[in-house]
Amino acid sequence: MSIRVTPLTDPHHGPSSHRLAWLASDAAGVPVGSAFLRLFTDAGRAHLAELELRVHPVERRRGIGSRLLDAAVAAAREDRRRCVLAQAEAGSPGGRFLPARGFRKVLTLTFARLPLAGVDVAALEKIVERPHPGYRLASWYGTVPDDLARTFAASRRAMDDMPMDDADHGTVTWDVDRVRAVARAVAERGELLHTVVAVDASDGSIAGFTELVVPGDGRGDGLHYGTGVLPEHRGHGLGRWMKAASIRQARARHPELGGLLTDTADTNRPMRNINDALGYAPTHQELTYQLDL
Ligand SMILES: CC(C)(COP(=O)(O)OP(=O)(O)OC[C@H]1O[C@@H](n2cnc3c(N)ncnc32)[C@H](O)[C@@H]1OP(=O)(O)O)[C@@H](O)C(=O)NCCC(=O)NCCS
């Protein structure tokens, strides 16, 4: 079968990345697969590229994925990227394709889901209502309120030592513009970003945060984004407290929401303990693969 790989123009340029795209089509011009290569442009990640590759199920095992991969890898090299990251579900065709094409597994993320109908409400209330001396909870929808913006941006460094195993995820430097841009991007997708934070009562600064993204219609599953507690505030139960508050608010505000999804590196014991204690049950694993160029 003769396959043509055509580079496309992706008009979307984000504040910290842009994408290259390719379409694979057969002799009759029918699309059979696509590849997207995200090129990060912010300092700390300018050496990274992230790949999304897809071949129509009936066209697989005919070398189309490899042709698309070759195009993407050539572009990554040309752009002087040091590595290409890609994700695939454990046991899936992608999970077999990537190692066959030279990628090595660098990170295992376990996804877990909390079915909201089955939440033990009394236990949740107890966690949320229990005082955590020296701290108070605050929360908001959408963009961080101005009076918390500076310390919220500063609290993002809580993610810097998150276990990422061998994956090269670079470093992200957060400032107020960046946290506002993330909130804007979620809103532009029609989704609702809900943030719960633990505030250090001694100076009003943010000690930790947890973020949840809910589909715009309030149905289906919400997705937890980051949860982080600054190193100097760890060991006080703030992670569990904030996440429990986030679950409680999601239930109250979105009665039709089915569940909450969270993904955690297998080696991140503290976060896995919190999720287990709150009733999240594992659903599947996503593997991150890396190709060093
Ligand atoms: C992964 C994917 C893009 C592969 O596309 P493809 O056109 O089937 O890939 P190729 O035909 O070029 O396969 C190249 C090699 O990868 C390996 N491979 C690919 N699919 C495989 C499978 N299902 N089982 C075992 N090995 C597989 C084989 O070694 C294969 O060579 P061979 O056919 O000569 O044995 C395709 O299965 C897909 O779209 N999956 C869903 C999305 C995804 O997981 N993308 C990857 C992460 S971004």
Side-chain angles (χ1 to χ4, degrees), residues 51-57 59-67 86-89 92-98 100-101:
L51 177 71
E52 260 182 66
L53 199 59
R54 201 154 288 277
V55 173
H56 190 286
E59 306 289 353
R60 290 179 186 170
R61 300 304 292 271
R62 296 177 191 177
I64 300 169
S66 300
R67 287 278 310 274
Q87 289 205 331
E89 195 168 327
S92 72
R96 291 188 277 270
F97 169 81
L98 293 168
R101 298 307 320 263

Side-chain angles (χ1 to χ4, degrees), residues 121-277:
V121 181
L124 196 67
E125 289 294 329
K126 219 166 129 192
I127 298 170
V128 179
E129 293 305 331
R130 205 180 69 215
H132 288 65
Y135 299 97
R136 61 183 160 81
L137 292 177
S139 67
W140 62 84
Y141 288 93
T143 307
V144 57
D146 289 348
D147 59 326
L148 290 173
R150 191 184 52 79
T151 65
F152 180 51
S155 76
R156 308 299 308 212
R157 82 178 150 81
M159 303 302 271
D160 288 356
D161 61 347
M162 180 170 67
M164 277 302 196
D165 299 0
D166 293 333
D168 183 350
H169 276 276
T171 49
V172 178
T173 308
W174 289 90
D175 57 20
V176 171
D177 286 348
R178 190 177 193 116
V179 295
R180 287 187 176 137
V182 168
R184 222 174 15 250
V186 174
E188 280 166 4
R189 291 202 306 266
E191 298 174 326
L192 191 60
L193 175 63
H194 180 230
T195 307
V196 175
V197 295
V199 176
D200 179 347
S202 70
D203 62 1
S205 69
I206 290 180
F209 61 89
T210 188
E211 294 173 311
L212 178 71
V213 172
V214 175
D217 62 1
R219 295 185 174 156
D221 283 351
L223 180 63
H224 290 285
Y225 275 23
T227 296
V229 175
L230 284 169
E232 56 274 30
H233 295 285
R234 290 179 190 165
H236 301 296
L238 300 184
R240 197 167 67 127
W241 194 31
M242 294 186 298
K243 206 152 178 179
S246 175
I247 298 166
R248 183 170 78 166
Q249 292 192 25
R251 282 186 82 250
R253 174 144 175 168
H254 307 288
E256 293 187 75
L257 202 60
L260 302 179
L261 271 179
T262 192
D263 62 309
T264 312
D266 271 13
T267 48
N268 191 342
R269 201 63 252 177
M271 200 64 233
R272 289 182 60 197
N273 287 348
I274 291 172
N275 295 335
D276 290 349

Side-chain angles (χ1 to χ4, degrees), residues 19-22 33-38 49-55 65 68-69 72 84-87 97-98 103:
R19 291 197 310 180
L20 303 178
W22 293 265
S34 60
F36 292 93
L37 188 72
R38 182 169 296 284
E50 214 170 69
L51 177 71
E52 260 182 66
L53 199 59
R54 201 154 288 277
V55 173
L68 286 163
L69 178 67
V84 178
L85 294 164
Q87 289 205 331
F97 169 81
L98 293 168
F103 283 73

